[in-house]
Amino acid sequence: MIAELCAPLKKFCREKMEPSLEHDDHDEKFRMDIFNQLGDLGHTGLTLPEEFGGAGLGYVELAASLEEMAKTSVSYAVTVSVSTMVQAILNEFGNATQKQKYLPHLTSGKGIGAFALSESSSGSDAAALKTTAKKVDGGYLLNGNKMWITSGGIASTYIVMARTGAEGAKGISAFIVSDGTPGFSFGKKEKKMGWKISPTRELIFNNCLIPAENLLQNEGDGFKIAMAALDRGRITIGAIAVGLSERALEEASKYALIRQQFGKAIFEFQGLQFMLADMAIETMASRLLVQEAARNYDLGIKDIKLASMAKCKATDTAMKVTTDAVQVLGGVGYTSEFPLERYMRDAKVLQIVEGTNQIQRVVIARKLKDLYA
Amino acid sequence: MWFFNDEEKELQKICRQFAEKELAPKAAHHDEAETFNLAAFRKMADIGILGITADPEYGGAGLGATAATIAMEEFGRICASSTLSYLAHSILCVNNIQNNASDEQKAKYLPKLISGEHIGCMGMSEPEYGSDAVGIQTKAQAEGDHYVINGTKMWITNAQYADIAYVYTRTGSEKKNLSTFIVEKGTSGFSVGKPIHKMGMRASPTGELVFENAKVSKKNLVGNVGDSVYHMMKNLELERITIAGISLGIAEACVAQCIKYSNERKQFGKTIGNFQLIQKMIAEMSTETAMMRHFLYSVCKQYDQGIKGPMVAAQVKLALPKMATKIALDAIQLHGGYGYSREFFLERYLRDNKLMEIGAGTNEVMIMIIAKDLLAQGMER
């Protein structure tokens, strides 16, 4: 099943996606036609029910799909990951009308979903967000700014967290906001170290009127919805990290077999063998942890500790493996003629998004306390 | 450092002021645009450091490893790219000429290199010979009053801007038959290949030196034919010690920024410095940096007193760059999204420092050198 699912995807990624990546990374250019084609291959709404255009599969399959995609491009994999997460939120918390209206456009890959929680002064401390949604005639008036929004500017549908009530988590509500709504605009595109193909933008809401029917669930349910999104994000970011590690290992191994120094392939030096072996061990351990977290999720076991461990382990591994892969290639690894330096730049933010790895460790410790206190 | 003398303390102050005034304002711009801060480079002559180890009779400062490392550290805190170009000029080109060239050659080339009128580079690595440097294949063949050079040098810092190149070539069939030439820009048959685009150190130009029947006068042979392996190894020692200063500067700048941010950034109603996870990061990175700083400068002081050897140079070159990559990664992590943004300097420092684990001998080559030395020494101390 997974092999059938991923073989055409791999072919597409290596043949159609790969050639423009170095250039697009340099120019910071996202190609909508590539995303649309991922949709045509059926990979932009894998976990959604078939009635809304999805494939009705689970997180095990989604993780495999994202891993394959990330072997070629973390940026496109992240775009798919976030869009799929937005769909899952709409499917779980949206009413029938909302699902019918927004899901098919996203599952088909014609449109992209984005998720807006972070603000300039509330990152890890998400419940402190300041964007407000004031109830007025005909809906809600949104005011405030959202920072670091993946797919900002290219997405058609945004889920935006805003404050409808008092301070703290319980005063937050979730809204569906369509691109082009009057009063909704974008700040500058962030210049980042990596993920350069995936645009990150600030969202600006200036007396933006949202129809009341765009509220997800009830007022005050926003934080619960946001946390549900992050549970899934931990698994998908972990899967992306595994794909990235696997590709870096592949490239480093191939190069080490070809590159000759001191009269033999550098692969024959134990110093490199140990590095490559460690990269393989860590990558496989990460994959198994992510798969286990995905399998649990599909079984309905919401094991947050496991998902946090998978996210931490896989992304810390991706950072280490991509850094070492650059090292194996030496000087050429440092140039943009080889993709290794891009892999390393793309890896770093995996340790930051969907809850920094510090926050994941806090979550793991909290669960340990629950277990043993 | 407590053991710096007055001259070194003064140099540290001057370099710090220079870096803040001349390098800091444009460092991010030159990284983004992949351009070289030529104006700042030439101004380094004003503070007398372009020939930091060269004899005063040629305009040099006549100083040693400690002084050169101070300059690397202070510049490295602000702009590692400019520092790398400075190192290629002052240590790889000027210091090599100072130590190995004839009086006539020194008088001809050093004054302009030291006054900033000329920029220098060194050509060692080749596409197929990086770690295995002694295996280089660029050939120099004697013909009448000159040599004919053929081959390509790769990863050459300052290539596109250099007026003078200090170039290692092969002059015999045995592995150690290497000889060096001083090659001037404009020499017939000598050109600069395409620029190399890099992950970091983007404001330091890197290119190829291409020799196609390049005619170089015998007067430009440095020392005797076949002397170069010794020259190469001797200069690599100083290069490895001083380049570690760049990683020290990077690590220190990261630590300082992390402490500042931990006191400013509020999450969950308090500054993040209140969280023990953050405390652990800043405490450990500052401890490591302090340790490395003492290690590096005591090696410098030993070197200046004539206690030298390839192993200890390899040890500092292994330890400091590795540490700085770790610290730069942690510094980005501590800053979260802001750390990843190119509006902030931390991601540039990480990208720049990765080169430090590759250039001037990779970590893996350092391990080979250290282990070889240790095993040859046996248990004797």
Side-chain angles (χ1 to χ4, degrees):
Chain A
M1 177 63 210
I2 283 180
E4 283 166 36
L5 182 72
C6 290
L9 177 65
K10 179 173 183 177
K11 189 171 152 62
F12 173 79
C13 289
R14 300 281 171 120
E15 289 172 12
K16 297 280 160 54
M17 197 190 268
E18 184 103 35
S20 63
L21 289 177
E22 194 221 314
H23 189 261
D24 290 350
D25 183 75
H26 179 267
D27 291 352
E28 308 195 6
K29 182 180 173 184
F30 178 85
R31 291 178 194 265
M32 194 65 198
D33 60 318
I34 286 186
F35 188 84
N36 294 151
Q37 288 175 71
L38 287 168
D40 296 342
L41 285 167
H43 283 267
T44 52
L46 275 186
T47 60
L48 276 292
E50 290 177 27
E51 61 169 311
F52 298 117
L57 298 171
Y59 275 73
V60 168
E61 288 81 9
L62 177 61
S65 161
L66 291 172
E67 183 183 329
E68 187 57 56
M69 238 177 262
K71 283 181 190 168
T72 299
S73 169
V74 169
S75 283
Y76 284 105
V78 161
T79 312
V80 170
S81 161
V82 174
S83 188
T84 307
M85 180 256 273
V86 164
Q87 295 166 43
I89 292 300
L90 287 169
N91 187 52
E92 184 174 343
F93 300 103
N95 58 38
T97 320
Q98 289 168 334
K99 289 191 216 183
Q100 203 51 257
K101 183 168 175 190
Y102 296 103
L103 280 179
H105 189 62
L106 297 175
T107 52
S108 64
K110 290 189 177 67
I112 296 173
F115 182 74
L117 175 63
S118 293
E119 298 180 4
S120 61
S121 57
S122 64
S124 293
D125 186 8
L129 64 86
K130 292 198 171 68
T131 295
T132 55
K134 195 179 161 200
K135 186 134 201 199
V136 292
D137 278 352
Y140 292 86
L141 215 47
L142 249 61
N143 276 294
N145 296 11
K146 292 287 174 183
M147 281 284 275
W148 317 113
I149 307 307
T150 299
S151 303
I154 57 169
S156 57
T157 307
Y158 296 81
I159 292 182
V160 179
M161 299 296 158
R163 189 165 298 288
T164 46
E167 276 186 24
K170 287 181 179 155
I172 297 170
S173 303
F175 297 92
I176 306 168
V177 181
S178 292
D179 185 34
T181 306
F184 171 29
S185 63
F186 301 101
K188 64 176 180 355
K189 192 157 112 178
E190 297 291 344
K191 291 181 172 181
K192 311 187 296 299
M193 175 184 177
W195 282 23
K196 289 186 177 185
I197 291 174
S198 158
T200 306
R201 271 204 176 82
E202 186 181 6
L203 312 185
I204 302 169
F205 299 99
N206 188 5
N207 287 327
C208 174
L209 183 66
I210 306 296
E213 72 238 30
N214 285 23
L215 173 68
L216 268 177
Q217 300 261 310
N218 301 310
E219 280 190 20
D221 286 342
F223 199 71
K224 177 186 80 184
I225 293 172
M227 291 304 111
L230 292 182
D231 286 349
R232 296 176 169 92
R234 290 183 182 117
I235 297 171
T236 56
I237 290 293
I240 290 170
V242 172
L244 181 59
S245 298
E246 185 65 43
R247 184 65 187 275
L249 171 64
E250 177 188 332
E251 296 299 326
S253 302
K254 284 179 177 169
Y255 185 83
L257 285 165
I258 292 167
R259 174 74 171 175
Q260 303 266 331
Q261 290 286 279
F262 307 103
K264 53 185 171 181
I266 59 172
F267 197 101
E268 301 308 323
F269 291 93
Q270 281 195 334
L272 286 217
Q273 289 177 359
F274 285 14
M275 277 173 89
L276 292 166
D278 280 340
M279 288 157 78
I281 294 166
E282 295 296 308
T283 302
M284 183 52 92
S286 301
R287 177 181 293 114
L288 296 176
L289 201 45
V290 170
Q291 282 178 356
E292 182 64 6
R295 201 176 62 87
N296 267 267
Y297 195 87
D298 288 341
L299 292 171
I301 306 165
K302 304 241 159 127
D303 189 339
I304 292 168
K305 176 155 74 38
L306 182 62
S308 286
M309 292 195 297
K311 195 265 176 180
C312 259
K313 176 68 184 168
T315 58
D316 286 347
T317 295
M319 192 69 246
K320 178 83 170 72
V321 167
T322 54
T323 305
D324 285 349
V326 170
Q327 191 66 25
V328 170
L329 270 77
V332 296
Y334 197 66
T335 72
S336 41
E337 280 181 44
F338 279 74
L340 282 299
E341 63 90 26
R342 168 162 54 86
Y343 298 163
M344 183 179 160
R345 287 186 289 102
D346 283 347
K348 181 66 221 178
V349 77
L350 295 170
Q351 296 177 298
I352 296 170
V353 293
E354 301 289 346
T356 64
N357 286 6
Q358 283 69 36
I359 291 294
Q360 304 299 341
R361 287 179 166 88
V362 169
V363 169
I364 293 164
R366 195 183 293 148
K367 295 294 169 188
L368 287 173
K369 199 173 172 185
D370 291 348
L371 194 61
Y372 297 113
Chain B
M1 299 295 298
W2 62 272
F3 51 67
F4 281 172
N5 60 34
D6 290 344
E7 194 180 35
E8 287 157 355
K9 284 178 189 158
E10 182 63 19
L11 177 72
Q12 184 183 40
K13 202 173 104 190
I14 291 169
C15 288
R16 185 168 298 187
Q17 284 167 351
F18 181 89
E20 275 160 15
K21 181 161 175 270
E22 304 294 341
L23 301 179
K26 291 262 174 81
H29 164 78
H30 286 291
D31 171 68
E32 186 79 30
E34 269 189 295
T35 48
F36 179 47
N37 191 345
L38 182 61
F41 188 89
R42 295 214 197 272
K43 277 191 191 163
M44 287 178 192
D46 299 346
I47 55 169
I49 59 162
L50 285 178
I52 195 156
T53 61
D55 280 348
E57 64 170 303
Y58 305 114
L63 298 170
T66 309
T69 304
I70 287 171
M72 301 304 162
E73 178 194 352
E74 292 305 327
F75 291 177
R77 279 168 186 259
I78 305 290
C79 176
S81 288
S82 298
T83 320
L84 186 69
S85 283
Y86 166 65
L87 180 135
H89 173 94
S90 63
I91 304 297
L92 308 191
C93 185
V94 171
N95 187 66
N96 255 322
I97 293 175
Q98 166 68 39
N99 286 339
N100 306 317
S102 67
D103 289 346
E104 198 189 337
Q105 289 167 334
K106 288 190 218 180
K108 184 173 178 189
Y109 294 110
L110 287 180
K112 284 185 179 174
L113 285 166
I114 295 171
S115 69
E117 191 178 329
H118 280 175
I119 293 177
C121 72
M122 180 199 76
M124 183 192 296
S125 296
E126 297 177 3
E128 299 305 322
Y129 293 87
S131 293
D132 187 8
V134 180
I136 56 161
Q137 294 297 321
T138 293
K139 280 197 174 49
Q141 199 141 22
E143 263 183 34
D145 62 349
H146 62 268
Y147 278 82
V148 178
I149 304 181
N150 278 293
T152 302
K153 294 290 177 184
M154 188 72 175
W155 318 114
I156 308 308
T157 300
N158 295 349
Q160 299 92 313
Y161 285 85
D163 301 283
I164 304 295
Y166 186 90
V167 181
Y168 293 104
T169 64
R170 174 160 302 287
T171 44
S173 53
E174 278 183 48
K175 192 153 187 184
K176 290 193 171 176
N177 293 150
L178 304 185
S179 305
T180 309
F181 294 89
I182 299 173
V183 182
E184 298 176 24
K185 183 167 131 183
T187 298
S188 116
F190 168 48
S191 62
V192 175
K194 62 177 182 355
I196 298 167
H197 300 289
K198 311 183 297 300
M199 174 185 189
M201 295 291 190
R202 288 160 54 96
S204 173
T206 310
E208 294 172 343
L209 305 180
V210 182
F211 299 91
E212 292 164 311
N213 291 321
K215 274 178 77 169
V216 177
S217 165
K218 279 191 168 166
K219 286 183 185 166
N220 286 25
L221 171 69
V222 178
N224 300 314
V225 174
D227 271 358
S228 291
V229 172
Y230 174 66
H231 295 166
M232 187 192 271
M233 295 306 151
K234 209 167 72 167
N235 209 70
L236 273 170
E237 259 179 69
L238 183 66
E239 177 184 353
R240 286 173 181 153
I241 293 170
T242 53
I243 206 170
I246 301 180
S247 281
L248 179 61
I250 287 173
E252 283 170 340
C254 289
V255 173
Q257 176 55 38
C258 284
I259 295 167
K260 184 165 174 267
Y261 193 70
S262 301
N263 273 324
E264 287 169 0
R265 174 76 172 174
K266 282 189 178 166
Q267 290 287 277
F268 306 102
K270 47 189 173 181
T271 55
I272 58 171
N274 282 293
F275 295 97
Q276 285 197 329
L277 269 173
I278 301 291
Q279 290 176 0
K280 177 176 151 71
M281 286 170 93
I282 60 174
E284 286 182 351
M285 63 172 72
S286 110
T287 305
E288 290 251 309
T289 306
M291 225 160 66
M292 292 297 175
R293 190 159 203 265
H294 282 78
F295 178 34
L296 176 59
Y297 281 112
S298 48
V299 169
C300 288
K301 283 287 179 188
Q302 278 189 353
Y303 185 96
D304 289 340
Q305 285 169 24
I307 307 166
K308 300 178 185 179
M311 185 179 85
V312 76
Q315 285 178 327
V316 291
K317 169 68 177 64
L318 175 65
L320 278 105
K322 264 181 96 165
M323 164 201 72
T325 294
K326 171 87 172 64
I327 289 178
L329 280 168
D330 283 350
I332 292 174
Q333 191 66 25
L334 189 143
H335 286 72
Y338 291 104
Y340 198 67
S341 154
R342 298 213 301 279
E343 281 174 44
F344 220 61
F345 67 84
L346 293 171
E347 64 86 33
R348 168 162 59 90
Y349 282 27
L350 169 66
R351 288 187 286 104
D352 286 350
N353 193 71
K354 185 64 208 166
L355 179 79
M356 308 299 296
E357 297 188 76
I358 296 169
T362 61
N363 289 355
E364 292 66 35
V365 168
M366 296 307 108
I367 289 167
M368 285 169 62
I369 293 167
I370 297 163
K372 192 175 156 194
D373 213 75
L374 288 172
L375 295 167
Q377 279 177 35
M379 290 299 288
E380 287 170 42
R381 289 175 61 101

